[in-house]
Every structure is written in C-alpha cells, then in structure tokens.
C-alpha cells in the first residue's frame, strides 16, 4: 500500500533547533507540502473540516512536528512497564482505534524530534529499576511505522536498545514498511509485533491499513531478520462463527510463520461510552458491535467504565485460544488474554 504522505505539516519553531526537525521541515517544503508554524504540538489550530467525519479525515492527513517536553513516561500495562513516546496518532482510520478515547475528534499525527532526550529519559528509568529489566512500549499512543520513512526514530531506538543491558523495546504495528528496519542491529532486544484480525474485520473496519496477507508477509521478513516476533489479535469479536473464523486465522498465521517461537497478545473487543460517541460521530454508518445490552459493564480506574463481553463468553474464548495456539504453534507463549 502507498506510504503516508501528509497534506499539510505544522512545526513548532523550537523543533528546528534539532537536526531531525530541520531535516523534516526542509524535506516537506521541498516536496511542496504546505508547512506552517504552530506554537504547540498540543494545540494545533487551522486543520479544516466542518463535520466530524471531515475533521477526522483532515486530521489524519496532518503531520505535526514537535518536541516532547515531559520528563515522565506513562505506565503501560499489560504490555510493558512504560510507554516510550516517539509518535502520537496514526494515519490509519480504524473504526475501533484504541486512540479514539484519548485523541478525540481531530487525531492528527505528531512526531517528536528530540529522540535523543526521550531515550535518555528511558535510560534513567532503567537505571532506577536495574537489575530488573524494564520494558518500553513504542506503540502505546500511535502506530509508529507509517512515519518511520520520514523520521528514522524506530531505527534509532532499536539501535539504542541493542546496547542496553537492563532495557527492552517493543512495538506493535498494522503496517508493513519494515524494510528499513531489517538490517538494523537489534541484538534480539526489540520485540516486533504485528496486529492482525480476520480478513473481513480488516476490510470492514480497518480503513487505510494493509491486508492480513501483507502484514503476515512483513512479519515473515521481520522474523528472518532475527527479531523476536509477536502476533497481537485485537480486537477479538466473539460473534457469529467466531471459533471457526479465528481458527482459520491461526492456521493462516502458521502458513506464513511456522518455525519461529511466537508470542501472542489477545484482546477481546471492549468500548467506553466516550469512544462509542466519538465513533458514531466520525463513522455514522458504522456496523461495529457496540450494544451495551449485550455487554458486561466494568468500572475502570479513571472513573469511566468499559463494556466487555460477558464473563462466560470471555472464559470460553480464552480456553479456545490457549488450546489452539498451543496445538498449532511450537514454543508459543501467550503473554495475556484480556
Ligand atoms: Fe489506531 Fe492502530 Fe488503526 Fe492506527 S492502525 S488507526 S493506531 S488501530
């Protein structure tokens, strides 16, 4: 699929003091892409779009170049100890994007040019926690791969972690432009994961992302480059003939990747009231299953609750995935099922 090309770019003036900021500014100007200044990457004004679907589409075509100032990383359970923020947002247009609740109705894409400073904060966390290994997640607030061709930030981060005794890096993607990362020195310290789903789910809900087959071909390349490889299946819809469909999906994964010990992360579909209202605004005709009556409500940590599938169904699904993964994949690990 075609690489992400923004239709407009905003940059914080201070980002020009960093080599990456200067390079990006000059590059996008040379490509004839309208490039303007913004006082803050958190408050960008002037992105067009009168209706919520228009505003969403325009934001997804907008790249903002800024500096990440906070010296603190958020925690990131269950996949890691901390988020490692290189990018916020993603040009994909998945209807159930997990960023919908946080980024709201104008989810523009931000890249941070002070990668060296961000990595030195990571180093401080590792120092504080050693000799325990600290895990950092590079995809907690984004899919970082679509902008990699411009920033090279994943490459830099992978190289940085290859020399860390007490830290590991991981990120997950639905995108397939992996070639620039294949020759990078990783020393097995970056866990490269692909997020997949049933082909019909991808076609219906994951607009602007590669197909299942493209993702699995990219995963196979990544595995040949020696990276520890993982598969995330999310969100899992427990509807219709879900057992048959997800069994087929697991068999398809096996066809592409049969001789690598895989990790699996399994996340059943859930939604919050706020995400539902954002999704209905942006995709008024959505076919997403979001009927509160058919779900179990669970209070969350921050005052808003989630609608999950009923407990019995979740238990049945957990058993189904554990059994089939163990029988189909040698040396597979299931990191979590939620
Ligand atoms: Fe969101 Fe991931 Fe889809 Fe991007 S690819 S829109 S981050 S779910």
């Amino acid at each position: 699929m075609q690489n992400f090309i923004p239709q407009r770019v905003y940059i914080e003036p201070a980002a020009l003091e960093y080599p990456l900021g200067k390079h990006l500014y000059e590059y996008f100007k040379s490509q004839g892409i309208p490039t303007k200044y913004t006082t803050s990457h958190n408050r960008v004004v002037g992105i067009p779009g009168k209706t919520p679907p228009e505003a969403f589409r325009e934001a997804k075509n907008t790249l903002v170049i800024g500096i990440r100032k906070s010296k603190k990383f958020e925690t990131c359970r269950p996949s890691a100890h901390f988020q490692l923020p290189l990018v916020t947002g993603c040009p994909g247009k998945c209807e159930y994007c997990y960023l919908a609740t946080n980024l709201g109705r104008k989810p523009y894409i931000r890249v941070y040019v002070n990668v060296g400073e961000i990595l030195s904060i990571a180093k401080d966390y590792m120092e504080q926690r050693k000799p325990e290994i600290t895990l950092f997640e590079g995809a907690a607030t984004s899919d970082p791969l679509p902008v990699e061709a411009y920033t090279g930030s994943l490459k830099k981060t992978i190289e940085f972690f290859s020399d860390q005794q007490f830290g590991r890096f991981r990120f997950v993607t639905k995108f397939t432009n992996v070639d620039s990362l294949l020759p990078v020195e990783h020393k097995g310290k970056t866990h490269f994961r692909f997020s997949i789903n049933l082909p019909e789910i991808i076609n219906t809900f994951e607009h602007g992302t590669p197909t299942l087959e493209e993702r699995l071909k990219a995963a196979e390349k990544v595995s040949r480059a020696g990276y520890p490889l993982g598969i995330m299946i999310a969100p899992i819809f427990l509807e219709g003939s879900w057992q048959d469909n997800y069994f087929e999906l697991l068999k398809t994964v096996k066809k592409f990747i049969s001789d690598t010990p895989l990790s699996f992360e399994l996340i059943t579909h859930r939604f919050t009231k706020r995400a539902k209202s954002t999704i209905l605004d942006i995709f008024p005709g959505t076919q997403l299953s979001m009927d509160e009556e058919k779900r179990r409500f669970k209070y969350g940590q921050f005052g808003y609750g989630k609608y999950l599938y009923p407990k019995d169904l979740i238990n049945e699904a957990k058993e189904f995935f554990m059994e089939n993964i163990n029988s189909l994949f040698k040396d597979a690990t299931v990191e979590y099922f939620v």
Side-chain angles (χ1 to χ4, degrees):
M1 70 173 284
Q2 209 197 356
N3 286 339
F4 166 59
I5 301 171
Q7 282 178 9
R8 67 190 69 80
V9 170
Y10 291 85
I11 183 163
E12 289 177 349
L16 288 171
E17 289 162 27
Y18 293 79
L20 178 58
K22 201 161 181 292
H23 159 75
L24 291 173
Y25 179 75
E26 280 163 8
Y27 173 77
F28 287 116
K29 279 201 89 105
S30 76
Q31 297 300 302
I33 295 173
T35 304
K36 291 183 186 165
Y37 287 111
T38 177
T39 44
S40 163
H41 67 76
N42 288 319
R43 287 181 305 280
V44 175
V45 282
I47 298 172
K50 289 196 181 76
T51 62
E54 265 172 37
F56 175 81
R57 271 198 308 276
E58 296 294 347
K60 289 277 181 178
N61 286 325
T62 304
L63 181 71
V64 179
I65 302 162
I67 297 171
R68 196 187 188 265
K69 295 193 186 78
S70 169
K71 301 257 181 291
K72 200 175 156 269
F73 291 171
E74 300 296 327
T75 54
C76 192
R77 291 288 178 194
S79 91
H81 295 104
F82 297 103
Q83 303 182 0
L84 192 119
L86 301 169
V87 182
T88 301
C90 161
K93 301 177 191 72
C94 305
E95 295 187 19
Y96 39 61
C97 178
Y98 58 102
L99 304 173
T101 314
N102 296 332
L103 298 184
R105 285 162 171 76
K106 284 205 175 171
Y108 53 83
I109 300 122
R110 289 170 241 190
V111 295
Y112 305 114
V113 296
N114 54 331
V115 182
E117 289 165 8
I118 294 169
L119 295 177
S120 91
I121 299 169
K123 182 93 184 160
D124 292 344
Y125 278 104
M126 287 179 240
E127 281 299 312
Q128 285 162 24
R129 291 175 38 88
K130 74 181 190 187
E132 231 192 277
I133 300 288
T134 305
L135 291 178
F136 295 90
E137 172 62 75
T141 56
S142 68
D143 189 314
L145 210 54
V147 290
E148 175 63 13
Y150 300 125
T151 64
S153 299
L154 281 175
K155 176 176 184 287
K156 194 167 176 183
T157 304
I158 293 167
E159 281 167 350
F160 167 81
F161 275 95
S162 74
D163 284 333
Q164 302 307 315
Q165 193 182 354
F166 300 109
R168 299 288 181 272
F169 181 49
R170 54 190 352 236
F171 65 93
V172 60
T173 187
K174 290 188 170 80
F175 287 83
T176 53
N177 52 310
V178 297
D179 289 2
S180 68
L181 301 178
L182 301 179
V184 175
E185 174 90 281
H186 57 75
K187 296 186 189 154
K189 292 183 183 171
T190 289
H191 191 178
F192 209 134
R193 298 119 74 218
F194 286 84
S195 170
I196 61 166
N197 217 317
L198 306 173
E200 56 272 28
I201 299 278
I202 293 176
N203 289 341
T204 311
F205 300 116
E206 298 189 352
H207 316 293
T209 65
T211 62
L212 172 65
E213 189 168 324
E214 288 167 329
R215 293 180 208 180
L216 291 174
K217 278 185 181 156
E220 205 261 328
K221 284 197 225 173
V222 163
S223 144
R224 271 194 275 118
Y227 283 94
L229 184 66
I231 295 289
M232 175 183 276
I233 307 181
I236 297 169
F237 289 98
L238 301 175
E239 282 159 48
S241 317
W242 63 266
Q243 292 98 328
D244 294 344
N245 297 339
Y246 281 107
F247 186 59
E248 275 310 308
L249 179 67
L250 292 173
K251 285 202 300 190
T252 309
V253 173
K254 193 176 156 76
K255 252 189 252 159
F256 281 84
I257 310 146
S258 52
D259 51 358
T260 303
L262 281 176
S263 70
F264 282 87
E265 293 157 88
L266 305 161
I267 306 176
T268 54
H269 182 248
R270 70 260 336 272
F271 59 93
T272 61
K273 274 244 186 274
R274 187 169 161 204
K276 179 174 176 178
S277 126
T278 307
I279 292 166
L280 289 174
D281 274 356
I282 299 169
F283 301 100
T286 186
Q287 295 169 43
L288 256 184
S289 142
M290 292 190 292
D291 181 352
E292 289 90 341
E293 299 290 305
K294 296 189 177 146
R295 300 293 180 104
R296 171 171 66 96
F297 184 73
K298 189 176 170 210
Y299 281 100
Q301 212 183 338
F302 304 107
Y304 60 87
K306 291 175 184 181
Y307 291 91
L308 312 170
Y309 282 110
K311 242 191 185 116
D312 289 352
L313 190 53
I314 299 243
N315 288 341
E316 186 189 335
K318 185 172 181 179
E319 211 171 293
F320 165 86
F321 277 99
M322 299 305 269
E323 253 181 51
N324 287 299
I325 286 172
N326 287 331
S327 73
L328 284 171
F329 298 93
K330 202 169 135 255
D331 300 327
T333 47
V334 176
E335 292 191 3
Y336 55 86
F337 178 100
V338 291

